[in-house]
Amino acid sequence: MKTTIIQFIPTKNYHQNLDKLITYIKNSTSKLIIAPEVIVTDFDYQNWLEANEFANNIKQTILELSKNKIIVFTLIEDNKNKAYVFYNQKVVYVREKIKLFSYEKKYFQKGEIEPEIFEIDGVKFAILICFEIRFIEYWIKLKGVDVVLIPAMWGIERKNHLLTLSNALALSLQSYVVVSDGLAFSSGIISPWGEEERNKNEVLNTDIYLKYIKKIRKRLPLE
């Protein structure tokens, strides 16, 4: 499965950020496209109402671009940090961030649905939103998943934590882990065998080999 990982630091201009995201999506030939957490508005606490209200603009725009493309990122809506999955001009999955970090607790309402496995075209996906990757109980719940998607806005001083956690998650689940990080630039893809591909560019085009997951699980059964 061709995959595009987008990472850039958002500005205070929502329209500028959205236009940049649109450009990268349009230029991608991948089936799977992931962008960072709250990539269009950032955590704009000073303009909280505007950030919430801009959600509809984001959704309508991305819906139109999602023909034959799975597009994943989070946005601020109804005072929640929502991970959206768009595919074939429909919203096929939504989950609200349940583990809030630091200042988020002051502004965001906590989600109710814990990380879970969902399927698209027979592929088992799951989403961990940034800080949620630290909670081992979610790793256990995701056993059998094919691809874990992690939209993040990770603190630069803790960059090595995300690198280590994402590598360990891929090895633990024997799954692909795909990270899109719009702050520390820790984005990348880690295979079920621990091979990683990362760069500091705003776009990384790569591949997910679904047969490789079965090969690794057969080679090293975790039973």
Side-chain angles (χ1 to χ4, degrees), residues 80-146:
K80 295 180 179 179
N81 188 344
K82 297 184 181 182
Y84 269 85
V85 181
F86 304 89
Y87 182 43
N88 278 335
Q89 299 176 317
K90 295 180 182 178
V91 174
V92 296
Y93 185 77
V94 182
R95 188 178 69 78
E96 301 151 355
K97 189 174 185 179
I98 198 167
K99 293 292 187 181
L100 302 176
F101 177 73
S102 186
Y103 247 71
E104 295 173 19
K105 296 176 183 178
K106 182 177 179 180
Y107 292 90
F108 286 98
Q109 295 177 19
K110 181 181 176 181
E112 296 180 358
I113 302 174
E114 292 192 340
E116 61 186 354
I117 295 174
F118 60 96
E119 288 195 26
I120 301 176
D121 292 346
V123 180
K124 295 180 180 179
F125 290 95
I127 297 174
L128 294 174
I129 305 171
C130 200
F131 187 52
E132 292 177 339
I133 193 176
R134 289 187 178 272
F135 296 87
I136 302 300
E137 60 265 33
Y138 297 150
W139 297 26
I140 296 169
K141 284 174 63 71
L142 300 182
K143 182 178 181 181
V145 71
D146 297 317

Side-chain angles (χ1 to χ4, degrees), residues 179-190:
V179 181
S180 176
D181 172 22
L183 185 57
F185 275 44
S186 306
S187 301
I189 183 169
I190 306 94

